[in-house]
């Protein structure tokens, strides 16, 4: 197997029913490498006709060839796909770094763990089942069947294209669904490069389809009445629109949305570890991660010390070409995104945040969309930087006096995706974890993820869960079957049994 990482400039089509197809309108768009500002491939701009064709292909496969596969057979194909991804993971990492500018070291790491998602759900495929349920009537047998929902429409963002797709693809296929994937227009290449691997793994045509395009394509997919389930990862406002479109035809939804995640540093914390965790939380991936720990809440007595420590390490962050192994901060994913990040910083300055570091484009890196890691101290909960997701390398720090106040400030947000706690006091760690309103809480660690552990936000951070056996509920529906086991003659037809 191979993955295309090099020039020449490639022209991708949609992948529908096992074939590459141009857009019905012949429309295309180009994707730009954010480290160089140069277009490096062209993809098809999907319209209603392309979405319809892909959904029909997925429906035909669902009702036909895919329904003939046993759960064990589905599991084997998922294992094959995991093996193939493991073979070409380093090449897929290069494709993603070219597409979204994230560090090659991070994308390589993600690609190494990516097969685990396919292995985990490969093993789960034949462990999806209903139950036998006791009823008040002895002769009546009642059991449930857990069935696939049908055609899944998956819409994903640009920040970790393959990983965030795998979170949907692996469980959806394990449960017996077919899927149409719509990756982000800013980073579609790795999803398209995955399609030949899907084919090689042995998935029949139509089981996995990929259509490219911008928000219009995503909307057409979410709104398509032939889509039985919509799984979305992206921004909160887009998620709301996707949810409304899916509700028009009553398709269930999973929404993995944005966050404004707090990191709570207590005075009894290991400050080396906490400093490491704050930097890992907000400057890794240039802050372009949904779980960015973008609010650091620090207890008064260690407040200035933590700011100094974080600033000292941040100043030494190596900014540059994300394809270089020793680079620690690459560019932002696209030009408009950098403009958005700069606008957030300007508002923070105008609202009186104390700029400790950064707040501008780094000198000497004029070609790509780079932005310096930025720290604001003395944030107040009224400020925009406290409330709104930046999705860039911008940290806001603010002090708290005690545990109650820390929890109150942490929970003062419409989001609820993740939170970090730094303390060496064990009872406090668990006490605070229970009080935080967040779908994921990390204690003395940050940004860990596994296929076996449920992930998903509260409030404006989303609906439903990904990962873990829990996610299989999202990709199945439950049927209740009643059986009369009595051979006695039927009783009174006018009485409910
Ligand atoms: P986005 O919402 O702009 O786009 C996400 C996807 O939705 C893209 O494929 C886009 O083309 C599509 N889209 C846009 N408008 C649409 C519409 N009206 N209908 C249907 N689809 C539409 O998000 P983004 O900028 O690509 O990603 C960044 C956001 O994603 C951040 O807010 C981040 O927090 C969030 N995110 C969340 C998670 C999570 O698991 N919770 C993970 C990663 C990113």
């Amino acid at each position: 197997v191979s993955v295309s990482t090099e020039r020449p400039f490639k022209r991708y089509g949609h992948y529908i029913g096992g074939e590459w197809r141009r857009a019905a309108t012949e429309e295309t768009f180009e994707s730009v490498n954010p480290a160089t500002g140069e277009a490096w491939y062209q993809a098809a701009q999907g319209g209603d006709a392309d979405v319809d064709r892909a959904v029909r292909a997925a429906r035909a496969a669902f009702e036909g060839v895919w329904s003939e596969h046993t759960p064990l057979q589905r599991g084997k194909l998922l294992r094959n796909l995991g093996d193939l991804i493991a073979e070409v993971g380093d090449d897929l990492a290069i494709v993603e770094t070219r597409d979204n500018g994230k560090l090659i070291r991070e994308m390589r790491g993600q690609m190494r763990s990516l097969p685990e998602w396919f292995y985990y759900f490969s093993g789960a495929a034949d462990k999806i089942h209903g139950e036998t349920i006791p009823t008040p009537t002895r002769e009546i047998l009642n059991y449930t069947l857990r069935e696939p929902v049908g055609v899944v429409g998956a819409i994903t963002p640009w920040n970790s294209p393959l990983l965030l797709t795998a979170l949907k693809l692996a469980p959806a296929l394990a449960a017996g669904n077919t899927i149409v994937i719509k990756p982000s227009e800013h980073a579609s290449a790795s999803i398209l490069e995955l399609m030949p691997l899907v084919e090689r793994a042995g998935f029949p045509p139509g089981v996995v389809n990929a259509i490219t395009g911008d928000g219009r394509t995503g909307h057409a997919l979410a709104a398509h009445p032939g889509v039985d389930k919509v799984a979305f990862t992206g921004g909160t406002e887009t998620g709301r629109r996707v949810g409304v479109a899916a509700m028009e035809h009553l398709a269930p939804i999973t929404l993995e949305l944005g966050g404004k995640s707090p990191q709570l540093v207590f005075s009894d914390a290991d400050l080396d570890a906490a400093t490491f965790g704050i930097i890992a939380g907000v400057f890794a991936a240039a802050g372009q991660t949904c779980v960015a720990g973008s609010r650091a809440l620090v207890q008064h007595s260690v407040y200035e010390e933590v700011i100094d420590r974080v600033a000292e390490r941040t100043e030494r962050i190596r900014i540059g070409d994300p394809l270089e192994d020793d680079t620690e901060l690459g560019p932002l994913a696209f030009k408009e995104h950098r403009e958005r990040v700069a606008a957030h910083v300007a508002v923070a300055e105008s609202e009186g945040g104390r700029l400790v570091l950064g707040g501008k484009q780094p000198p000497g890196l004029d070609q790509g969309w780079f932005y310096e890691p930025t720290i604001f101290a003395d944030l107040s909960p009224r400020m925009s930087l406290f409330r709104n997701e930046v999705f860039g390398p911008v940290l806001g720090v603010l002090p708290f006096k005690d545990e109650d106040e820390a929890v109150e400030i942490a929970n003062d947000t419409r989001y609820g995706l993740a939170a970090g706690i730094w303390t060496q006091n064990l009872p406090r760690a668990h006490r605070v974890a229970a009080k935080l309103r967040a779908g994921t809480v990390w204690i003395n660690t940050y940004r860990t993820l596994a296929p076996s552990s449920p992930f998903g936000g509260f409030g404006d951070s989303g609906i439903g869960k990904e990962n873990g056996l829990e996610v299989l509920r999202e990709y199945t529906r439950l049927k209740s079957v009643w059986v009369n086991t009595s051979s006695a003659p039927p009783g009174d037809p006018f009485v409910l049994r």
Side-chain angles (χ1 to χ4, degrees):
V1 289
S2 69
V3 159
S4 170
T5 58
E6 296 301 328
R7 292 169 176 276
F9 189 88
K10 227 176 153 169
R11 290 182 167 77
Y12 293 103
H14 303 305
Y15 183 77
I16 300 176
E19 286 174 12
W20 292 99
R21 291 177 170 274
R22 285 205 287 267
T25 59
E26 304 267 336
E27 261 186 88
T28 59
F29 66 93
E30 290 186 340
S31 183
V32 169
N33 178 337
T36 63
E38 287 172 12
W40 70 290
Y41 67 88
Q42 185 189 71
Q45 167 62 41
D48 291 355
D50 305 304
V51 169
D52 187 57
R53 181 180 275 168
V55 172
R56 283 176 194 280
R59 168 72 50 205
F62 177 71
E63 282 169 6
V65 60
W66 195 229
S67 68
E68 289 155 18
H69 281 62
T70 63
L72 201 61
Q73 285 170 326
R74 298 200 300 262
K76 281 183 184 159
L77 299 186
L78 283 165
R79 173 155 286 277
N80 292 348
L81 183 55
D83 287 344
L84 290 170
I85 291 171
E87 265 182 53
V88 294
D90 283 358
D91 290 343
L92 289 171
I94 294 173
V95 171
E96 293 216 326
T97 293
R98 286 234 168 91
D99 230 0
N100 64 12
K102 288 195 35 187
L103 299 183
I104 188 68
R105 58 209 260 192
E106 172 169 18
M107 293 341 254
R108 240 187 243 134
Q110 276 190 16
M111 292 312 129
R112 284 195 188 124
S113 65
L114 198 62
E116 305 298 334
W117 263 265
F118 294 93
Y119 298 151
Y120 179 82
F121 287 103
S122 155
D126 62 346
K127 293 161 196 76
I128 302 167
H129 49 72
E131 296 176 314
T132 311
I133 297 173
T135 69
T137 317
R138 200 160 3 103
E139 308 80 53
I140 294 287
L141 166 68
N142 177 240
Y143 63 89
T144 54
L145 293 174
R146 197 164 271 287
E147 303 176 335
V149 283
V151 175
V152 173
I155 303 168
T156 52
W158 45 263
N159 59 325
S160 290
L162 277 172
L163 180 69
L164 297 172
T165 299
L167 264 57
K168 300 164 178 54
L169 181 62
L173 295 177
N177 302 283
T178 58
I179 191 164
V180 178
I181 304 164
K182 205 300 280 176
S184 166
E185 62 275 32
H186 300 294
S188 305
S190 60
I191 305 303
L192 298 167
E193 292 290 341
L194 182 73
M195 293 304 116
L197 306 187
V198 165
E199 203 171 309
R200 182 82 180 266
F203 289 94
V207 173
V208 181
N209 308 274
I211 46 165
T212 48
D214 55 20
R216 290 168 295 172
T217 320
H219 175 79
L221 183 60
H224 196 294
V227 170
D228 301 301
K229 152 91 192 173
V230 178
F232 171 83
T233 301
T236 297
E237 290 317 315
T238 318
R240 238 186 273 284
R241 287 201 290 276
V242 167
V244 169
M247 271 315 116
E248 288 286 343
H249 57 108
L250 296 176
I253 49 175
T254 310
L255 301 176
E256 293 294 347
L257 310 176
K260 192 73 204 179
S261 300
Q263 295 236 48
L264 284 60
V265 183
F266 290 92
S267 55
D268 55 29
D270 171 342
L271 293 188
D272 283 341
T275 303
F276 171 93
I278 290 171
I279 287 169
V282 71
F283 296 136
Q288 300 168 116
T289 159
C290 54
V291 294
S294 51
R295 290 184 294 150
L297 281 45
V298 185
Q299 198 154 16
H300 276 307
S301 54
V302 291
Y303 181 68
E304 291 298 339
E305 183 178 356
V306 169
I307 291 174
D308 288 347
R309 282 172 179 246
V310 172
E312 189 276 326
R313 178 63 185 90
T314 304
E315 240 170 344
R316 290 189 286 114
I317 286 178
R318 283 188 297 268
I319 310 176
D321 182 353
L323 278 169
E324 297 288 336
D325 276 326
D326 59 357
T327 299
E328 294 174 330
L329 193 97
L332 297 170
F334 50 101
K335 189 163 179 268
E336 299 73 22
H337 185 47
R338 181 172 68 179
E339 284 162 12
R340 276 202 301 251
V341 170
H344 278 288
V345 166
V347 171
E349 281 189 294
S350 74
E351 287 183 340
R354 167 161 64 101
L355 182 66
V356 177
L357 212 65
K360 58 184 191 314
Q361 293 172 24
L365 285 167
D366 303 329
Q367 270 186 326
W369 322 126
F370 291 90
Y371 200 82
E372 285 185 353
T374 299
I375 303 173
F376 278 96
D378 307 347
L379 226 57
S380 93
R382 284 184 313 282
M383 290 170 57
S384 159
L385 195 60
F386 179 92
R387 312 214 78 86
N388 298 315
E389 183 183 47
V390 176
F391 216 62
V394 183
L395 172 70
V397 194
L398 69 167
F400 66 82
K401 68 173 184 301
D402 57 20
E403 195 178 302
D404 285 347
E405 193 181 59
V407 170
E408 191 187 317
I409 298 174
N411 284 343
D412 183 9
T413 171
R414 62 198 167 103
Y415 292 112
L417 193 59
I421 302 170
W422 298 90
T423 177
Q424 300 202 65
N425 177 329
L426 191 66
R428 162 176 286 159
H430 292 290
R431 204 164 51 226
V432 173
K435 287 183 190 158
L436 289 176
R437 208 177 54 245
T440 295
V441 176
W442 287 297
I443 298 171
N444 294 335
T445 180
Y446 205 80
R447 267 183 108 215
T448 52
L449 196 68
S452 52
S453 178
F455 175 84
F458 304 158
D460 273 11
S461 292
I463 296 175
K465 291 288 172 204
E466 299 201 299
N467 294 344
L469 295 178
E470 191 71 26
V471 69
L472 295 169
R473 291 172 188 269
E474 308 271 352
Y475 290 105
T476 51
R477 60 186 185 192
L478 206 58
K479 179 183 282 173
S480 179
V481 182
W482 298 81
V483 188
N484 181 7
T485 64
S486 158
S487 49
D492 183 350
F494 302 103
V495 176
L496 186 72
R497 297 194 65 162

